[in-house]
Amino acid sequence: MEQTLKITNVLADPTRYYIYQYIIKRNEDVTVQEIAEEFEIHPNVARLHLTKLEDVNMLVSEAKKTGKGGRPSRLYRLSNDHIQINFPYRDYQLLSKIAIETMASLGDVGKQALELTGRRFGEELVNHQIPVSIHELTFDQKLDILKKASTVAGFYPELDHNKDKTKIFLKINNCPFKEIAQENFEAVCGMHHAFLRGMFNLLFDDVVLEESENIILGCSTCSYHAIVAK
């Protein structure tokens, strides 16, 4: 609870909150100068915000030489600590870890249950974002729904498409399951893939979804492309 209070106090400042969100979306190291320019604040103010976030283990930093001489530049990035705030405290992370490990231990039956859970979760998140009948949605509206649902899931997504709107490119900059996936890669990533299929299949016909990058395997993002029927 003490750590939760420290985190909420740090994030109570709107600028600091948006800086943290920005670093999540960037998913790469940032410098004081970059933050200062992005948020149009003095570098000393940017440094203070970054230091406050580091003090509660939301960020970590290290000094690296630029190769141009002078003082090393300090680079800030997301820490590996899982940040979760609930009032009252509820350890959903532990519950999900136990549930996934239990289902994964059941072999093929457990794997099927995980995939079904992922698919239904994806469908539910999309359903909550649909303002009208699915058949009335335009391609751009469907893309917007995908982005909103993925954001709610904590993926911090980037979406794009080809010129004739038959292929959608999805980059996931944050994996909310990464702590569990590191120990249960096949089970968690299978559930994650089913989650995405659930979202796409609800909005498009004849979807072919393929993964090209995976955060757990050392890539900077989880990247997918989906071939969809017009």
Side-chain angles (χ1 to χ4, degrees):
M1 179 57 73
E2 183 179 344
Q3 180 65 5
T4 297
L5 291 174
K6 289 180 181 178
I7 291 171
T8 53
N9 182 56
V10 166
L11 294 180
D13 184 287
T15 301
R16 199 172 299 143
Y17 173 80
Y18 289 121
I19 287 173
Y20 184 63
Q21 293 291 308
Y22 173 78
I23 295 173
I24 291 175
K25 293 175 182 178
R26 278 285 302 273
N27 196 34
E28 59 184 34
D29 294 351
V30 299
T31 65
V32 169
Q33 190 59 39
E34 287 178 65
I35 296 300
E37 292 175 0
E38 177 67 24
F39 291 88
E40 298 180 351
I41 54 180
H42 192 278
N44 288 343
V45 177
R47 183 177 291 105
L48 175 63
H49 285 311
L50 292 167
T51 300
K52 289 284 188 180
L53 290 166
E54 186 175 20
D55 286 344
V56 293
N57 299 321
M58 298 180 77
L59 300 179
V60 294
S61 70
E62 63 178 327
K64 285 189 177 181
K65 292 184 178 180
T66 61
K68 299 179 181 178
R71 296 176 59 187
S73 179
R74 182 155 292 275
L75 301 179
Y76 295 82
R77 64 178 180 274
L78 295 176
S79 76
N80 289 324
D81 287 359
H82 177 72
I83 305 300
Q84 180 171 285
I85 301 174
N86 293 293
F87 292 99
Y89 178 74
R90 303 176 180 90
D91 199 342
Y92 291 124
Q93 184 73 6
L94 178 60
L95 176 61
S96 63
K97 181 177 185 293
I98 293 171
I100 289 171
E101 287 178 346
T102 300
M103 285 192 276
S105 70
L106 299 176
D108 290 340
V109 173
K111 182 180 178 182
Q112 291 172 10
L114 278 171
E115 291 180 357
L116 177 60
T117 300
R119 179 174 60 79
R120 290 187 60 185
F121 183 42
E123 291 172 348
E124 285 297 316
L125 285 186
V126 166
N127 268 322
H128 286 310
Q129 302 295 332
I130 296 176
V132 295
S133 169
I134 292 178
H135 303 294
E136 298 177 30
L137 296 172
T138 66
F139 178 88
D140 290 338
Q141 286 175 317
K142 291 179 179 179
L143 213 63
D144 186 55
I145 288 170
L146 279 174
K147 185 171 184 178
K148 288 179 178 178
S150 298
T151 301
V152 169
F155 291 156
Y156 294 96
E158 295 177 36
L159 284 98
D160 202 356
H161 59 81
N162 62 354
K163 189 174 182 179
D164 61 1
K165 299 183 177 180
T166 57
K167 186 179 286 189
I168 298 172
F169 305 98
L170 170 64
K171 281 189 176 182
I172 294 172
N173 293 310
N174 178 61
C175 174
F177 310 119
K178 64 183 178 183
E179 289 81 11
I180 309 173
Q182 288 167 353
E183 299 177 9
N184 299 276
F185 173 79
E186 186 176 348
V188 174
C189 288
M191 180 182 67
H192 183 194
H193 196 84
F195 168 82
L196 295 175
R197 287 202 310 272
M199 291 201 303
F200 276 95
N201 286 336
L202 199 64
L203 294 169
F204 299 95
D205 296 323
D206 303 321
V207 179
V208 177
L209 182 66
E210 296 183 359
E211 181 186 80
S212 56
E213 293 183 312
N214 189 297
I215 290 175
I216 307 304
L217 296 180
C219 301
S220 60
T221 65
C222 284
S223 298
Y224 297 83
H225 69 266
I227 301 171
V228 299
K230 294 186 68 175

